[in-house]
Amino acid sequence: MLLKIYLIKLKALILHQVYYSTKNNISRLAELFIWPLYELSIWGFFSLQFKNMTSSGLVFSFQFFLGALFLWSFIRRLQEDICSSVLVDINSRNFKNFLITPITIFDLSFSLLISSLLKYLFSFLMIFLVTLLLFKFNIFIFLIKVFPFAVSLIIFGWVLGIFGLSLIFATGGRMMVISGIISLIIQPFSCVFYAREILPGIFKTISYFLPISYVFESLRDLISNNYFSRGDLLFSFLLNFIYAFLVILFLRWMYFLGRKRGKFIEI
Amino acid sequence: MNKLISVKNLRKSFGFFKPNLVLEDINFDVYAGDSFGISGANGAGKTVLLHILLGIVLPDSGEIKIFGKDLFKNLKFIRSKINYASPYDSLFQQATLMDNLTTFANLYGIDDKKRKIEEILSILNLKDHATNQLLESFSDGMRAKAILSKALINDAEILLLDEPFASLDFQSKKSFSEYLLYSNKKEKKTIIITSHNFEDIKNFCNRMIFLDKGKIIFEGKVEDIPKKLLS
């Protein structure tokens, strides 16, 4: 009898944690698949790249790996920060208070872009010190060398952040998990740690549409051959501006949908 | 009398495939200096109506004019002259009340922020807690007062309050009611409150609408409301 009661309680908890909490929440459902796929693809492609490097006699570049990691952090931190700043207010039930002040969503978005960059600058100071002290790698000199690449990445980080913000607007925070990890979803296609040439069919095709894949491809050229394709860099900027334009329209549309669906009543 | 809010043929539903009609055929006017009540049972549509007036919920159809201007075409102007509070919302939890109020004073472009904030804190008896405590450590009642304090920051011509007396203790309810009555009678501020508690509406409002399942079933002076609606 006691065992039966215990099993009923256990069943209730598991049903709540697995079924009820995910069945009406696309974001949590997607999370179940995103993480394994992300880790498998990133480390799988990285292993392929590593194998190609050693077999072709290339020396694995520690500088490149650390540099790529550092530059990737631009995108990840900016995108996450834009979304998390809003989510913190939503969790406090304070976000509506901003929406009813005499500011527009564009004022709000612009302030998020600036504050995400300011916060990243603080992180950069820490990254600079840690890489210098622990790895004897001066990230500041590296940053000066790759400055145009960094600018392109910042713009794309912002674009992804505003995309996440739009999803939050449309769903009133229900897509908070997905909106927080958009940068990770696109990372396997972004050629951060491996060359585009090792990607299989559809992955490679998608990578052509991502401005950051051109940045990391050029960066590899710059580090290994001391040469980079200006055309690739310019193309990444062109794609960035197209996406920036599209994401502004998307933001407007999602804000409209959020208001239509009453998503701002309880945030 | 000067008409401040005019709502005509308002309709709102949620859902695409199986629309749930929450407001239908809503028509009413609010005049300058009114203390206007919106009452009805839970789920009658009071909160949705208030959020439509704030411009953060879009109606399916209908016309809303505030200060004689179309609400959705003049949001920035209208929002600078109105404010809103609900005890079900909150301010930023990991900051002090002073920090929160300073943020909103800046967003509303208040000139003499310090004086205004101090005035509000003394009305709501929050002076002792404004700078030395994070909002997350406030009790529910204090949190409700904190959110009300935000609504007073811009000297709004129209104050929209969703269930403003819920969660307030007797003393706070008394002092806040007195403040609202003062700003309504002396400063001629227009105040709209929603409440499912008719006593709050009766004590405070001169005119009201009563909603039932998204429709207005009574509009007029508070004292004229049919008794059967209150049973």
Side-chain angles (χ1 to χ4, degrees):
Chain A
M1 189 63 186
L2 278 175
L3 180 68
K4 195 181 169 192
I5 292 170
Y6 176 75
L7 287 176
I8 289 171
K9 287 177 183 172
L10 192 66
K11 184 183 157 195
L13 289 171
I14 293 170
L15 268 177
H16 167 71
Q17 287 151 4
V18 178
Y19 183 62
Y20 298 130
S21 63
T22 42
K23 73 167 184 172
N24 292 319
N25 192 329
I26 299 168
S27 189
R28 292 196 72 170
L29 200 62
E31 201 190 6
L32 297 176
F33 304 101
I34 288 169
W35 287 111
L37 283 174
Y38 164 76
E39 280 163 359
L40 202 66
S41 53
I42 286 290
W43 296 112
F45 293 136
F46 181 71
S47 309
L48 277 178
Q49 169 84 7
F50 190 70
K51 195 175 134 199
N52 286 354
M53 275 180 164
T54 42
S55 62
S56 61
L58 283 171
V59 179
F60 177 66
S61 170
F62 170 73
Q63 189 194 22
F64 173 75
F65 188 74
L66 210 57
L69 206 59
F70 163 66
L71 288 175
W72 174 253
S73 73
F74 270 105
I75 295 185
R76 189 169 169 191
R77 293 293 309 128
L78 292 174
Q79 184 265 308
E80 280 182 359
D81 197 78
I82 288 172
C83 296
S84 66
S85 296
V86 171
L87 290 172
V88 163
D89 275 314
I90 288 178
N91 289 337
S92 277
R93 293 196 65 138
N94 182 37
F95 189 61
K96 191 200 303 175
N97 292 321
F98 291 98
L99 293 181
I100 62 168
T101 61
I103 58 165
T104 65
I105 48 155
F106 297 109
D107 299 330
L108 180 76
S109 307
F110 186 61
S111 71
L112 286 168
L113 302 187
I114 304 292
S115 56
S116 64
L117 191 59
L118 285 175
K119 283 191 217 167
Y120 187 79
L121 290 179
F122 285 113
S123 305
F124 175 74
L125 280 178
M126 195 204 65
I127 293 171
F128 169 71
L129 287 173
V130 170
T131 50
L132 193 66
L133 294 173
L134 287 183
F135 306 112
K136 311 282 180 252
F137 180 60
N138 190 333
I139 209 100
F140 191 69
I141 292 173
F142 176 77
L143 182 63
I144 292 170
K145 201 171 159 187
V146 298
F147 189 70
F149 298 104
V151 174
S152 178
L153 295 176
I154 287 170
I155 297 171
F156 196 64
W158 279 343
V159 166
L160 291 182
I162 298 298
F163 182 74
L165 185 66
S166 310
L167 293 181
I168 293 170
F169 278 174
T171 60
R174 283 186 82 191
M175 293 284 273
M176 62 172 71
V177 177
I178 297 289
S179 58
I181 57 168
I182 291 165
S183 58
L184 293 182
I185 296 171
I186 63 149
Q187 197 187 21
F189 313 98
S190 305
C191 311
V192 184
F193 304 117
Y194 39 79
R196 184 185 278 141
E197 66 193 37
I198 67 153
L199 290 175
I202 185 75
F203 279 70
K204 192 185 277 185
T205 309
I206 294 172
S207 80
Y208 282 114
F209 291 95
L210 291 174
I212 47 175
S213 70
Y214 296 92
V215 170
F216 286 104
E217 286 286 280
S218 298
L219 191 69
R220 261 185 292 277
D221 276 346
L222 180 70
I223 289 172
S224 52
N225 309 323
N226 221 10
Y227 160 83
F228 76 94
S229 159
R230 249 181 223 153
D232 275 0
L233 185 65
L234 288 175
F235 191 63
S236 84
F237 274 105
L238 178 70
L239 282 179
N240 270 330
F241 287 120
I242 292 170
Y243 286 132
F245 175 72
L246 292 176
V247 88
I248 289 169
L249 296 181
F250 189 65
L251 178 73
R252 267 181 75 113
W253 183 35
M254 292 297 110
Y255 180 58
F256 170 80
L257 274 187
R259 289 160 82 202
K260 199 81 191 152
R261 294 169 173 175
K263 295 294 177 188
F264 300 121
I265 292 178
E266 289 180 355
I267 58 173
Chain B
M1 275 175 97
N2 185 13
K3 198 189 286 180
L4 281 195
I5 299 177
S6 159
V7 177
K8 278 186 188 148
N9 306 321
L10 189 73
R11 184 182 192 277
K12 177 66 191 168
S13 60
F14 289 117
F16 187 71
F17 295 109
K18 258 174 90 179
N20 172 26
L21 195 59
V22 289
L23 291 171
E24 192 182 6
D25 199 23
I26 301 293
N27 294 280
F28 65 93
D29 297 320
V30 179
Y31 297 94
D34 261 354
S35 50
F36 191 85
I38 302 174
S39 194
N42 291 331
K46 307 183 293 288
T47 301
V48 174
L49 178 57
L50 214 58
H51 285 80
I52 291 176
L53 295 177
L54 289 166
I56 56 172
V57 172
L58 295 175
D60 298 342
S61 58
E63 184 190 76
I64 300 168
K65 285 191 172 173
I66 300 183
F67 306 117
K69 294 172 189 280
D70 184 284
L71 169 65
F72 295 101
K73 287 180 184 154
N74 299 277
L75 273 176
K76 217 170 170 174
F77 168 79
I78 290 167
R79 282 176 177 164
S80 68
K81 291 171 174 287
I82 66 173
N83 212 324
Y84 159 87
S86 161
Y88 307 116
D89 296 330
S90 185
L91 295 174
F92 186 56
Q93 302 288 301
Q94 285 87 41
T96 63
L97 179 57
M98 182 62 89
D99 291 342
N100 271 292
L101 290 179
T102 307
T103 301
F104 287 102
N106 283 324
L107 288 174
Y108 282 100
I110 307 302
D111 289 332
D112 194 356
K113 289 188 277 285
K114 210 174 159 204
R115 186 199 58 78
K116 186 69 207 166
I117 291 172
E118 279 188 4
E119 182 192 319
I120 294 167
L121 292 175
S122 79
I123 291 165
L124 288 163
N125 214 1
L126 283 168
K127 257 185 179 169
D128 295 340
H129 310 279
T131 51
N132 56 1
Q133 247 180 295
L134 299 183
L135 241 79
E136 63 188 1
S137 67
F138 276 25
S139 66
D140 284 350
M142 272 167 59
R143 211 169 288 172
K145 285 203 281 181
I147 190 74
L148 286 171
S149 69
K150 190 272 316 179
L152 308 181
I153 199 76
N154 63 331
D155 268 328
E157 287 183 38
I158 302 174
L159 205 50
L160 299 122
L161 303 169
D162 192 11
E163 305 276 0
F165 303 111
S167 310
L168 289 186
D169 57 42
F170 176 75
Q171 193 56 41
S172 306
K173 191 172 173 175
K174 188 169 172 279
S175 63
F176 188 61
S177 301
E178 281 167 5
Y179 171 77
L180 287 182
L181 283 169
Y182 173 82
S183 56
N184 178 241
K185 304 289 178 218
K186 301 282 178 195
E187 296 179 343
K188 302 291 174 204
K189 298 274 162 75
T190 304
I191 296 168
I192 299 177
I193 67 169
T194 71
S195 182
H196 61 267
N197 183 355
F198 181 68
E199 283 302 304
D200 290 339
I201 302 274
K202 193 177 81 180
N203 291 339
F204 189 75
C205 300
N206 61 336
R207 293 177 58 243
M208 68 174 291
I209 54 172
F210 194 97
L211 292 172
D212 182 43
K213 292 174 190 151
K215 287 183 179 171
I216 294 178
I217 55 170
F218 170 78
E219 184 194 359
K221 289 182 179 171
V222 173
E223 57 267 29
D224 295 339
I225 189 164
K227 283 208 168 59
K228 63 174 182 181
L229 289 182
L230 307 174
S231 55

